[in-house]
Structure formats: C-alpha cells, structure tokens
C-alpha cells in the first residue's frame, strides 16, 4: 500500500531528525568522556537508556503540563559535581550543536528550564548546592542548586537575628530566583533578593570562570534581575544578609464578600504600599462556599508579617488600616525562621528540617502576572468575583503583593528589575487542575486568559508589565532563528522597560552567537 506523499515526507523527516539527534548526542557524550578532567563525569550523565533517567528528569518537574509523552525530552541530563564539569558540558554542547537548559529548582512556570524544541541537554545544578554563612560579616555564598528552604535553614542554624529577603516557597532554586529578581515578605524593608547580591561566580560562553571583578559591572548588573541563564551559567551567589528582630508577628484575617471583603480590599489598595516598611500585608483571593447553602462566595485572606511584636503592630494597624478589624487574638508572635514555615503553609510546631525537603505536591497549573498603579474600583473587583464563580476557577487564586517601602526608593535602573516607584501592588494569577488530558488543560488556560483580558483596563499599560520569574509564553516568544530588535523589544519592554537596550548590549557583547537562549530570553539581533 502506498503512503500519501505528505505522510511519506513526514516519516522521512522524522527519521532524519531522529538519526541526527542520535548522532548529536552520541558525539556530545564522546566529547565529554574524551575531555573530562576526571573519571567522575560518567557518574553524572543520564541518557534515556539509563535506568535513572526518568527519575532524574522528573525529580524537579513541578508542572505536569510539561511531563507528557509528547513533551520534548533532553537527549542528555548532566548533574555536575564540580565547576570544571560545567565548563566541559558547555564546550562539548557548542561543538556538537546541543542547546543547554540550566535547571536549579525546576519551578519555571513554562518548563523552560527542562524543555526545548531542539536537541538539548539539561544542566541540572542539584549537586551544586553548598551554602556558606559568615555571621560576623553578614553575608553568605549560595550555590545555584540550593533551594530557598536550604538557605533559610542554614542561616537559622548560624544566627537568630539574620535573614534574607527572598521568596516564601522553600523548594524554589536560588539560581533562577535570584536571577529574575526574587521577592518575599521582607522586600518592602530590604528590597529584592537580587538587590542584595554582592558578588557571583559565572561560567561564560567561552568557559571562563568569572567573579564580579573579572566579569565587569555590565554583566554583573544584567544577571541580577535580567534572567541569569541568558548570559551564562551562574554557579554561586554572594548575598548580603539582613538583620531581623528576635520576635516577629504574623496574622491571617479572612474576609468573604458577606463580611465586606470588597470594601476592605478596595481600602487596602490605598494603604498597602504606604504602610511602615516593617509591615507586609498581602491578599490571597480564592473561591469559597458561602454561608448560604448552595451558593459561592469569594474569600480575601489578608496575610501579614510584621518585623516586631504585636504590642507595636496593633496600634499601627488601628491607625493605618482599622477597616480590617485586627485584634490581639489574630496575631502570633514567633521568630523570623518560624515565619518562613508559616508563610510556606506548614503547621505550627513543624521541625525546621522540613525546609530541607525538596519534594512537593505536583499539580498542573498556568500562571500570569500584572502590576497595578491605580486602585481598582469596586465595580472592577466585582467583575473579578464573577469569574471566580466559573467552574474552572474551583482551584484558582489571585495573590496581591504590596510594593512601596524600599522598593520605591531603589532606581528602576539599579538592576534590570524595573518595577519600582509607582507600583501599588503586583498580581499573580494562578489556576490549578488535577484532571488529565488536553481538554482540561485548554479549559483552565482559557479561563485564566479570559480573566487576564478582563483585567487590561485596571493594570499597567504601554507596556503592560509582567514579572520575569512568572514566565508566560502568552506574552510572546523568540524564534529559533534571528529575531529583530523590533520583535524582541515588544517582549523585552514588557519586562524591562528602559533597561532593555542595556540588556541587549550586554547580551551582544558576552554571548554574540546566542548560545544561552530560550523561548523568552534576550534574543539574537539583526539590526
């Protein structure tokens, strides 16, 4: 029986690509073995023929959307033990046409740290996770494969009065978090994680091991908030630790629509960015069951950390945000490290050892982000509530994170992260689902896109801003071939605004062939 011409061509093309990929990765492996400076390289190489390949691949995949039979898989996974192995991996990948994806924690929202449409190798930093804390001089060296939980644990082991302004999810990898900015409960006091990076170790496209002095200030500027994997492989970060009081106070006050949540949230928008720097109050919006049988409502959880005791917090709240009705019974005093467990959702009394656990519940999700510069009117909020009543929103949430404080004091050009003065708060949109199949995925992704479209009149404009660490390929992607400056700037200005040209300059100087690339990185240019 004859095959249709189109099917024959496809089969021929598939056969060619498969043969090419096999040749590519075999050549890459021979190169690694030949040029390895020690015998241990064979112990950290995984291919599909290795019994541990699937386990290693899936161990850091946080979103099952990118772990399906049709998802492109790496030809090789390498988990280097030492810096020299990274240099060997980059050299052999360039020689044999392999794209490199760098993975630290695996939380990339679009799976870009472990998925690629072209032959690729995953450089998984999981074995490079050493943390060294210098309490006397208030700094630490953190390797990129360490998680935030591991970092917080090590700081707490050494000091009860030092902390670091990074995220609330303990399984996030330091490498990606710091390179995209990184924020947490004390960023209104101390700025971003990236604002507190004071040195770094990086392997560039030529295989050189660079620190801040040898890489120069342009490249050091770019990797702190510009997406570090676009410029090289960042092995370690030197971070400035910040003082925290021995006692902090947390609270979570829930208000639903029947409890005046709309008006309270409306008021929060006017005061959240103007609170004392020591006070952080975010809002988590979710659907909930109403007290009226068979009806739905929306719950607003006002979730807070205050750097001090409740004796100072209560009068501060009475003065600046009495509408919430905070009382002493709502407040819990604890140490800063205990507040890390609180915001991560662990039960009271949980051992700090839980911060060392790199595993978490895996569920499919899609995320987007926005920045808000003017309070959304009550009518606009009510439109959000209507979308929470739709069936796809059963496991959806919006997280509103207040800015102001230190974030308004730092110039938007100090590092590539541009979202500074003028922002009241950031919105993170999330929708989760456990059903398998493309229909469920399309339904839930469609829901969040409709919500995002609805929000357009109420958020930043020209450009509509987004947070780089919340990857969202809906915004735009780079082509595998040349991408023009005009095309790139459409995406770049959404994230980096006035910093885009400087980022492009750094990329052009330090990686002119665009070896370090992904679908949403600083692209190659054809002026």
């Amino acid at each position: 029986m004859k095959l249709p011409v189109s099917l024959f061509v496809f089969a021929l093309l598939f056969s060619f690509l498969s043969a090419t990929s096999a040749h590519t990765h075999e050549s890459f492996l021979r190169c690694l073995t030949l040029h390895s400076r020690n015998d241990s390289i064979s112990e950290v190489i995984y291919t599909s023929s290795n019994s541990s390949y699937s386990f290693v691949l899936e161990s850091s995949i946080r979103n099952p959307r990118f772990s399906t039979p049709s998802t492109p898989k790496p030809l090789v996974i390498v988990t280097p033990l030492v810096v020299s192995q990274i240099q060997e991996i980059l050299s052999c990948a360039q020689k044999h046409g392999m794209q490199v994806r760098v993975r630290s924690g695996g939380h990339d929202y679009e799976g870009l740290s472990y998925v690629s449409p072209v032959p690729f190798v995953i450089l998984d930093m999981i074995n490079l996770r050493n943390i060294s804390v210098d309490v006397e001089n208030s700094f630490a060296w953190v390797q990129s494969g360490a998680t935030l939980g591991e970092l917080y644990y090590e700081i707490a082991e050494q000091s009860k009065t030092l902390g670091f302004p990074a995220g609330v999810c303990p399984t996030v990898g330091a490498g990606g978090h710091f390179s995209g900015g990184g924020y947490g409960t004390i960023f209104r006091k101390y700025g971003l994680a990236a604002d507190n990076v004071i040195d770094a170790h990086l392997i560039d496209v030529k295989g050189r091991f660079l620190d801040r002095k040898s890489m120069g200030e342009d490249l050091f500027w770019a990797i702190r908030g510009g997406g570090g994997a676009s410029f090289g492989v960042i092995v370690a970060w030197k971070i400035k630790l910040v003082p925290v009081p021995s006692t902090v106070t947390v609270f979570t006050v829930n208000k639903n629509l029947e409890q005046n949540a709309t008006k309270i949230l409306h008021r929060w928008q006017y005061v959240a960015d103007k609170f004392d720097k020591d006070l952080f109050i975010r809002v988590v919006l979710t659907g909930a069951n109403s007290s009226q049988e068979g009806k739905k409502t929306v719950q607003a959880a006002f979730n807070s950390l205050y750097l001090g005791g409740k004796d100072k917090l209560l009068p501060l709240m009475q003065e600046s945000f009495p509408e919430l009705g905070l009382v002493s019974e709502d407040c819990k005093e604890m140490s800063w490290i205990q507040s890390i467990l609180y915001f991560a959702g662990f039960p009271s009394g949980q051992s700090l050892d839980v911060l060392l656990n790199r595993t978490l519940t895996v569920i499919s999700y899609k995320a987007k982000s926005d920045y808000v510069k003017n309070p959304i009117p009550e009518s606009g909020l009510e439109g959000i509530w209507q979308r929470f009543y739709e069936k796809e929103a059963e496991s959806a949430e919006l997280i509103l994170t207040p800015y102001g404080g230190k974030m308004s004091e730092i110039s938007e050009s100090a590092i590539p992260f541009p979202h500074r003065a003028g922002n009241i708060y950031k919105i993170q949109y999330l929708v989760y689902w456990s059903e398998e199949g493309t229909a469920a995925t399309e339904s839930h992704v469609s829901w969040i896109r409709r919500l995002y479209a609805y929000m357009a009149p109420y958020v930043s404009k020209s450009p509509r801003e987004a947070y780089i660490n919340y990857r969202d390929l809906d915004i735009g992607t780079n082509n595998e071939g040349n991408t023009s400056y005009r095309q790139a700037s459409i995406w770049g200005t959404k994230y980096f605004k006035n910093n885009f040209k400087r980022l492009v300059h750094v990329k052009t100087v330090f990686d002119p062939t665009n070896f370090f690339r992904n679908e949403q990185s600083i692209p190659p240019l054809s002026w």
Side-chain angles (χ1 to χ4, degrees):
M1 184 178 74
K2 284 189 175 181
L3 288 172
V5 173
S6 59
L7 189 58
F8 175 77
V9 172
F10 175 80
L12 191 64
L13 179 61
F14 181 79
S15 175
F16 171 76
L17 289 175
S18 297
T20 302
S21 295
H23 174 74
T24 298
H25 102 268
E26 287 169 4
S27 300
F28 171 76
L29 291 174
R30 282 197 297 271
C31 178
L32 275 186
T33 304
L34 184 64
H35 294 93
S36 177
R37 301 175 198 175
N38 55 65
D39 295 332
S40 64
I41 190 73
S42 61
E43 300 172 8
V44 296
I45 295 174
Y46 303 87
T47 68
S48 58
S49 61
N50 187 293
S51 59
S52 299
Y53 172 87
S54 293
F55 173 79
V56 174
L57 175 62
E58 294 169 9
S59 63
S60 292
I61 292 180
R62 310 305 188 191
N63 194 339
R65 287 176 61 207
F66 308 110
S67 184
T68 68
S70 62
T71 302
K73 304 296 192 294
L75 298 178
V76 185
I77 305 170
V78 190
T79 57
L81 297 165
V82 292
V83 168
S84 62
Q85 291 175 340
I86 298 176
Q87 294 167 313
E88 292 157 9
I89 292 163
L90 296 183
S91 175
C92 291
Q94 289 180 79
K95 287 178 183 176
H96 298 286
M98 296 276 279
Q99 188 175 118
V100 172
R101 292 295 168 98
V102 184
R103 181 168 74 172
S104 51
H107 278 263
D108 192 303
Y109 280 11
E110 297 283 7
L112 299 183
S113 63
Y114 50 87
V115 176
S116 175
V118 299
F120 73 108
V121 55
I122 291 179
L123 199 170
D124 195 317
M125 304 291 282
I126 191 168
N127 290 325
L128 293 169
R129 54 204 282 193
N130 184 60
I131 299 166
S132 177
V133 176
D134 184 331
V135 173
E136 184 177 353
N137 295 297
S138 299
F139 73 80
W141 274 102
V142 187
Q143 287 190 314
S144 287
T147 64
L148 300 185
E150 291 168 338
L151 171 60
Y152 295 146
Y153 178 91
E154 194 61 35
I155 294 172
E157 284 287 287
Q158 304 294 327
S159 172
K160 306 304 179 188
T161 55
L162 287 175
F164 188 68
V168 300
C169 180
T171 57
V172 167
H177 188 70
F178 295 176
S179 69
Y183 72 93
T185 58
I186 57 175
F187 84 130
R188 298 189 67 252
K189 175 79 170 183
Y190 294 113
L192 304 167
D195 290 324
N196 292 277
V197 170
I198 53 179
D199 203 344
H201 290 160
L202 176 143
I203 310 297
D204 74 356
V205 71
K206 297 179 181 178
R208 298 177 298 183
F209 179 84
L210 306 174
D211 61 8
R212 178 175 182 172
K213 182 177 180 180
S214 56
M215 77 175 72
E217 288 302 302
D218 274 352
L219 183 53
F220 183 64
W221 172 85
I223 63 175
R224 293 173 296 150
S230 292
F231 304 96
V233 178
I234 302 167
V235 179
W237 308 82
K238 184 179 182 181
I239 58 173
K240 179 176 63 179
L241 304 181
V242 300
V244 292
S246 56
T247 299
V248 304
T249 305
V250 300
F251 68 76
T252 300
V253 174
N254 296 316
K255 299 288 185 181
N256 61 34
L257 300 186
E258 292 76 25
Q259 297 167 320
N260 223 17
T262 304
K263 290 191 178 297
I264 297 172
L265 177 59
H266 185 252
R267 177 59 184 162
W268 172 88
Q269 297 180 100
Y270 287 88
V271 297
D273 64 319
K274 301 176 182 64
F275 287 139
D276 187 286
K277 292 180 187 177
D278 290 339
L279 179 58
F280 168 88
I281 305 178
R282 69 175 184 175
V283 185
V284 181
L285 303 174
T286 56
N289 291 323
S290 171
S291 56
Q292 301 177 39
E293 189 174 347
K295 291 192 174 183
K296 297 286 187 180
T297 188
V298 176
Q299 177 175 278
F302 293 83
N303 187 208
S304 176
L305 171 72
Y306 176 66
L307 294 171
K310 65 179 180 181
D311 57 325
K312 293 184 178 179
L313 171 61
L314 288 167
L316 180 62
M317 286 293 291
Q318 184 57 40
E319 177 185 348
S320 55
F321 193 24
E323 294 83 357
L324 187 60
L326 185 72
V327 296
S328 180
E329 291 73 22
D330 296 323
C331 303
K332 297 178 182 179
E333 293 184 331
M334 56 184 63
S335 65
W336 176 77
I337 192 62
Q338 288 171 329
S339 78
I340 294 294
L341 298 182
Y342 177 85
F343 273 85
F346 293 113
S348 178
Q350 182 79 50
S351 167
L352 292 185
D353 290 349
V354 73
L355 294 174
L356 304 178
N357 185 357
R358 295 178 72 102
T359 62
L360 79 167
T361 302
V362 175
I363 187 170
S364 296
Y365 65 91
K366 169 68 178 174
K368 302 179 85 65
S369 63
D370 262 320
Y371 283 85
V372 178
K373 299 179 182 297
N374 296 293
I376 299 173
E378 289 186 30
S379 59
L381 297 176
E382 288 164 356
I384 299 174
W385 309 156
Q386 293 302 314
R387 283 151 180 83
F388 265 109
Y389 299 145
E390 297 175 18
K391 63 178 182 178
E392 294 89 351
E394 184 176 350
S395 296
E397 64 180 1
L398 271 62
I399 303 175
L400 317 184
T401 299
Y403 272 53
K406 184 72 171 180
M407 291 297 290
S408 292
E409 297 171 6
I410 300 173
S411 166
E412 68 174 34
S413 61
I415 63 173
F417 188 93
H419 315 292
R420 303 292 188 173
N423 290 295
I424 301 175
Y425 60 96
K426 176 178 61 60
I427 304 176
Q428 180 179 191
Y429 310 89
L430 289 156
V431 61
Y432 303 91
W433 63 96
S434 56
E435 305 96 317
E436 296 181 358
T438 56
T441 296
E442 290 172 0
S443 174
H444 288 86
V445 171
S446 176
W447 177 86
I448 201 170
R449 286 171 176 165
R450 293 195 305 272
L451 174 59
Y452 186 75
Y454 166 77
M455 293 297 294
Y458 305 112
V459 297
S460 59
K461 302 172 183 65
S462 300
R464 185 171 182 176
E465 299 174 29
Y467 176 36
I468 186 175
N469 271 356
Y470 295 159
R471 298 286 200 188
D472 180 11
L473 293 183
D474 291 349
I475 292 175
T477 60
N478 292 328
N479 301 319
E480 280 301 322
N482 282 341
T483 300
S484 70
Y485 180 82
R486 180 178 174 277
Q487 288 174 297
S489 63
I490 292 171
W491 177 85
T493 55
K494 291 175 190 285
Y495 283 93
F496 302 113
K497 297 169 68 178
N498 297 330
N499 295 326
F500 182 65
K501 288 185 178 180
R502 186 177 178 187
L503 279 167
V504 169
H505 168 73
V506 176
K507 179 66 172 176
T508 304
V509 169
F510 289 95
D511 185 17
T513 64
N514 195 43
F515 176 72
F516 293 107
R517 67 190 187 275
N518 57 44
E519 280 83 352
Q520 218 169 64
S521 66
I522 304 303
L525 301 176
S526 59
W527 297 86

